[in-house]
Amino acid sequence: MSRTEQQIAADRARYEEHQRKGLENAPRALPGPSAIPPAPIAENAVIHRETVPGGWYWWSRLRAGESLRIAQDAGASAVALTAWSLADASERLNLPDTIKVQWTTAIERGRVLFSDMGRVMFSITEAGSSGHDGLMGGSTAASNARYPGETRNTRDNLVLVAGKLGLDRRDIGSVLTLFAPVRVSESGDFGWQGDLQRPGDFIDLRAEMDLTIALSNCPHPLDPNPEYAPQPVSVTRFRLPVAADDLCRTATAEAVRGFANNALQIA
C-alpha cells in the first residue's frame, strides 16, 4: 500500500476503535422503529395543526417541552428542517456534530439533535424509520434543474424564512432532510437507500430548548423520482409530560452530556 492508503487505513482503525468504546458505554439500548400508523395525539395535548403543501415552507416557534409530529399522511415527500435557539440565533442546529458525537448517520428513535454549542435541541421520541438525511442538506436551484419548468427548492425557501425572522442567508446552518434515506457507501459516495423508506412514515421531535424552526417540503437532490411531485405533509404541535427516565435523555452517554450542557447554560 502507498503511504496515503496506510494513513487512511490507520485513521479508519482509530475511528472504529473510538466508535466501539463510545457504543459500549451506552447506558441503554435504543428501540426499533415506531409503529406505523402512529398512536393518535390526544386532542387536549394539541397546540396547533398545519398542512405544508408540496414545494412550500413553514416556520414556527417551539417552547422547551413542546413536540412536533411531521407525517407523510398524503404520500411520499421529503421535509428539510433547520432550527435556531430562540434566545440567540447564532446557536443553530448542527448535523455534523450530531452524527460525529453519536457515532452514526442514522437519525432514529432515541437519538438527539445537537446545536453547534454542544446542547441538545431536539429529542427524537418517535420515528417510523431511520430513513433521514443528515449529510447532504436540502435542494437548491441547481439540483432542481433536472425538473422541467420553475420549481421551488429548499435553499430559496429557507432564505425566505430567514428574511422573515430578521436573519440572513449566512444564518442558515445545517439542514436535516426527513424521509430522505441517504447513506454513504464504502467508496464514500452518497446513495439513495430506498429500502429504508416506509409508507406513511412520521417523526416526533421534542424541543429541548426554546427554538425557532423552519421546514421546507421539497424533493431531495437524490430522490430518484424524475417528476417534481412533493406531497403535502401534516405538522402537529403538541405537548406531553416527560418521564423521569425518558429514553432520549438517558439512552446514550453523549445525550447525557448534552443535557448536562443544557442545564449548565440555562442556570
Side-chain angles (χ1 to χ4, degrees):
M1 289 194 302
S2 70
R3 184 177 182 279
T4 299
E5 290 172 337
Q6 290 175 342
Q7 187 60 50
I8 291 172
D11 289 344
R12 185 183 185 94
R14 281 195 296 271
Y15 172 84
E16 290 176 347
E17 177 62 14
H18 287 307
Q19 181 187 46
R20 182 186 65 78
K21 291 180 179 178
L23 295 177
E24 284 178 353
N25 289 330
R28 300 171 64 183
L30 293 180
S34 304
I36 296 177
I41 302 167
E43 283 301 319
N44 61 2
V46 174
I47 300 169
H48 179 72
R49 296 187 192 273
E50 188 83 22
T51 297
V52 183
W56 289 84
Y57 64 87
W58 178 76
W59 70 273
S60 183
R61 293 188 172 92
L62 287 180
R63 294 294 177 180
E66 293 179 355
S67 293
L68 206 65
R69 173 170 292 178
I70 305 167
Q72 293 183 320
D73 294 338
S77 196
V79 180
L81 175 149
T82 194
W84 302 265
S85 165
L86 187 57
D88 181 355
S90 68
E91 182 174 8
R92 302 173 292 191
L93 180 65
N94 189 307
L95 272 304
D97 283 357
T98 293
I99 289 168
K100 287 187 298 182
V101 167
Q102 295 178 107
W103 304 103
T104 179
T105 58
I107 307 297
E108 58 190 335
R109 182 183 177 196
R111 296 288 180 190
V112 298
L113 305 179
F114 285 91
S115 77
D116 51 12
M117 301 294 185
R119 303 203 295 163
V120 178
M121 283 191 143
F122 294 101
S123 291
I124 304 173
T125 56
E126 300 288 346
S129 78
S130 63
H132 311 292
D133 172 33
L135 299 168
M136 286 191 64
S139 60
T140 64
S143 70
N144 275 16
R146 62 192 175 117
Y147 302 116
E150 293 186 8
T151 55
R152 300 181 67 92
N153 68 82
T154 286
R155 179 64 182 175
D156 288 343
N157 279 348
L158 295 182
V159 169
L160 290 173
V161 173
K164 291 176 183 291
L165 298 173
L167 302 174
D168 186 83
R169 66 182 62 223
R170 292 172 296 181
D171 296 308
I172 301 170
S174 299
V175 175
L176 167 64
T177 307
L178 304 169
F179 318 126
V182 174
R183 292 292 185 271
V184 180
S185 69
E186 285 294 323
S187 61
D189 298 319
F190 293 119
W192 187 269
Q193 195 168 323
D195 59 329
L196 293 176
Q197 292 181 301
R198 297 179 69 192
D201 202 358
F202 79 102
I203 191 167
D204 287 358
L205 300 169
R206 185 179 63 222
E208 301 296 354
M209 63 174 73
D210 293 345
L211 296 171
T212 302
I213 64 160
L215 305 180
S216 172
N217 184 7
C218 294
H220 188 277
L222 293 186
D223 188 337
N225 187 351
E227 297 183 1
Y228 185 90
Q231 299 301 305
V233 293
S234 66
V235 179
T236 306
R237 182 180 170 196
F238 63 100
R239 180 183 283 272
L240 293 175
V242 180
D245 63 342
D246 179 75
L247 173 70
C248 296
R249 297 186 177 189
T250 57
T252 67
E254 295 80 16
V256 171
R257 287 194 293 270
F259 280 105
N261 289 340
N262 284 35
L264 283 172
Q265 296 192 36
I266 288 173

